[in-house]
């Protein structure tokens, strides 16, 4: 925790710039080891506006910047992750909709993000808004994404160089069939929690859903990661929420918290992640630190 509040009154900006330069130097020195197997992280929270898309995009970009092979699957009809990764997603673009509804292959719809050579995205278009209803009467409606993803990852993994290290799936703000498909396709759940009132409301329902999927559809699924987002260290409320989340989820909650930062919210309007848009900003550094923590956990022995 930053306790330098009194000293800060002198030259807070200069202090922050110095501290950020030092954080960046440390991050630049770190080597990210590839996880032994592809990790599939499903970023979910049925609340809107808690930072799911921002977390998906920026953790993915940070991992790609560190040299890992990363695939983002945009499974939200709003297509905000596709926008921030700079991939085409106007209506009619081959997308995750065709994978769900027409049985298209991921290889036929995936695009490379212009931000990094090793960062890929399956885009979402507005067509996806109808998929939730279209899926209801389809066979194996809960496992359509898993089948497509398994086939794609297996085809990629024929060479070690092309093997994906991470797949990160961005979910819509609901627990409907799109999110169920994302849970069924994943191994790990990453829940972003916004540090504000009612932060924990709905969490027990989310966790119950994960448990149900685990029992009936995907025994390997586990809640591995919680990330505190839009954290404002000056407010007591943010600190109280953070303490409470850590108390309930001591092993899952990352040490890194993501600060509220204008740069983070501006980046998508330039079709960028904050990692590429403003690499020296506190938001970019925090997301790189979060990505490093996530990757360390895969290689640090607490993975079963
Ligand atoms: N750390 C942050 N600082 C400032 N704004 C943020 C931050 N994280 C997210 N936002 C903004 O908050 C809004 C909701 O974030 P988003 O990632 O789209 O949430 P979700 O995908 O859960 O609906 C967006 O406008 C986004 O730009
Ligand atoms: Mg979103």
């Amino acid at each position: 925790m930053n306790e330098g509040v009194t000293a800060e009154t002198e030259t807070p900006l200069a202090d922050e710039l110095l501290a950020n330069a030092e954080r960046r130097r440390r991050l630049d020195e770190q080597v990210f080891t590839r996880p032994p197997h592809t990790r599939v992280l499903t970023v979910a929270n049925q609340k809107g506006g808690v930072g799911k898309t921002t977390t998906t995009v920026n953790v993915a970009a940070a991992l790609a910047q560190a040299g890992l092979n990363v695939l983002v699957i945009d499974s939200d009809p709003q297509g905000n992750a596709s926008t921030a990764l700079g991939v085409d997603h106007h209506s009619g673009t081959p997308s995750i909709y065709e994978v769900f509804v027409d049985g298209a292959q991921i290889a036929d719809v995936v695009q490379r993000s212009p931000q990094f050579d090793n960062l890929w995205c399956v885009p979402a278009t507005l067509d996806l808004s109808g998929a939730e209803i279209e899926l209801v009467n389809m066979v194996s409606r809960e496992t359509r994404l898993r089948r497509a993803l398994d086939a794609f990852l297996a085809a990629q993994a024929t060479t070690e160089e092309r093997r994906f290290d991470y797949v990160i799936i961005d979910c819509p703000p609901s627990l409907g069939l799109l999110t169920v498909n994302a849970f069924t396709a994943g191994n790990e759940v990453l829940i972003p929690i916004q540090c504000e009132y009612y932060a924990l409301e709905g969490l027990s329902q989310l966790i119950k859903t994960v448990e149900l999927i685990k029992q009936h559809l995907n025994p390997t699924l586990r809640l591995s990661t919680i990330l505190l987002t839009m954290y404002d260290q000056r407010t007591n409320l943010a600190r109280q929420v953070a303490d409470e989340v850590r108390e309930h989820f001591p092993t899952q909650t990352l040490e890194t918290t993501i600060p509220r930062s204008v740069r983070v919210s501006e980046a998508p309007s330039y079709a960028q992640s904050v990692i590429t848009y403003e690499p020296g900003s506190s938001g970019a550094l925090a997301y790189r630190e979060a990505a490093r923590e996530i990757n360390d956990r895969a290689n640090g022995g607490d993975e079963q």
Side-chain angles (χ1 to χ4, degrees):
M1 292 293 116
N2 182 358
E3 296 298 342
V5 182
T6 45
E8 244 176 36
T9 49
E10 297 281 343
T11 53
L13 188 62
D15 285 352
E16 191 185 327
L17 288 175
L18 262 177
N20 282 358
E22 173 57 20
R23 282 166 76 191
R24 193 172 177 184
R25 195 190 56 72
R26 242 180 289 140
L27 281 161
D28 286 343
E29 276 175 0
Q30 281 160 3
V31 178
F32 281 42
T33 312
R34 298 183 70 185
H37 305 287
T38 306
R39 293 175 70 187
V40 184
L41 273 66
T42 300
V43 180
N45 190 328
Q46 73 273 38
K47 278 193 192 184
V50 299
K52 288 183 290 298
T53 301
T54 307
T55 295
T56 299
V57 164
N58 292 305
V59 168
L63 291 166
Q65 185 188 46
L68 305 183
N69 295 332
V70 183
L71 172 67
V72 168
I73 298 180
D74 188 349
S75 197
D76 183 347
Q78 295 195 33
N80 293 339
S82 309
T83 302
L85 292 174
V87 303
D88 190 10
H89 67 107
H90 68 269
S91 186
T93 306
S95 67
I96 193 68
Y97 173 82
E98 282 76 10
V99 173
F100 274 121
V101 175
D102 300 337
Q105 307 277 316
I106 286 181
D108 297 334
V109 302
V110 71
Q111 295 182 44
R112 196 196 290 263
S113 166
Q115 290 168 34
F116 296 101
D117 280 351
N118 46 334
L119 178 57
W120 299 78
C121 176
V122 175
T125 66
L126 271 179
D127 297 332
L128 192 61
S129 53
E132 198 89 55
I133 291 165
E134 288 176 75
L135 279 169
V136 170
N137 291 317
M138 288 188 159
V139 284
S140 50
R141 59 185 180 181
E142 294 99 352
T143 54
R144 293 177 82 84
L145 182 59
R146 179 167 74 199
R147 285 170 186 218
L149 183 60
D150 284 353
F152 178 68
L153 292 177
Q156 286 293 315
T158 48
T159 71
E160 187 59 14
E161 208 171 85
R162 278 159 44 111
R163 172 174 70 84
F164 274 99
D165 298 302
Y166 284 88
V167 178
I168 308 185
I169 310 176
D170 188 25
C171 291
S174 74
L175 295 173
L177 274 173
L178 292 177
T179 300
V180 167
N181 265 272
F183 282 147
T184 308
N187 331 117
E188 300 180 42
V189 180
L190 188 171
I191 304 180
I193 293 183
Q194 186 183 359
C195 297
E196 50 130 67
Y197 274 120
Y198 308 124
L200 301 180
E201 204 178 63
L203 208 54
S204 58
Q205 195 195 353
L206 177 55
I207 288 166
K208 214 180 290 167
T209 305
V210 172
E211 279 307 312
L212 279 174
I213 303 278
K214 191 176 164 151
Q215 278 168 29
H216 298 289
L217 290 162
N218 181 9
T220 64
L221 190 68
R222 67 193 180 95
L223 166 55
S224 69
T225 312
I226 290 179
L227 178 59
L228 297 163
T229 64
M230 296 181 244
Y231 184 78
D232 183 346
Q233 65 178 358
R234 291 166 306 182
T235 70
N236 286 330
L237 174 64
R239 246 174 290 145
Q240 281 164 13
V241 171
D243 288 348
E244 198 173 339
V245 172
R246 289 187 195 287
E247 201 177 300
H248 281 90
F249 304 99
T251 57
Q252 292 93 339
T253 311
L254 297 183
E255 267 171 52
T256 307
T257 54
I258 307 299
R260 199 173 265 288
S261 136
V262 177
R263 296 285 178 260
V264 169
S265 56
E266 280 177 351
S269 53
Y270 297 89
Q272 295 286 332
S273 64
V274 76
I275 308 296
T276 47
Y277 172 66
E278 195 67 57
S281 65
S282 54
L285 296 170
Y287 269 115
R288 287 178 66 189
E289 285 162 356
R292 191 216 49 212
E293 252 192 271
I294 289 170
N295 193 58
D296 279 355
R297 289 172 166 211
N299 299 297
D302 70 341
E303 191 88 348
Q304 66 237 336

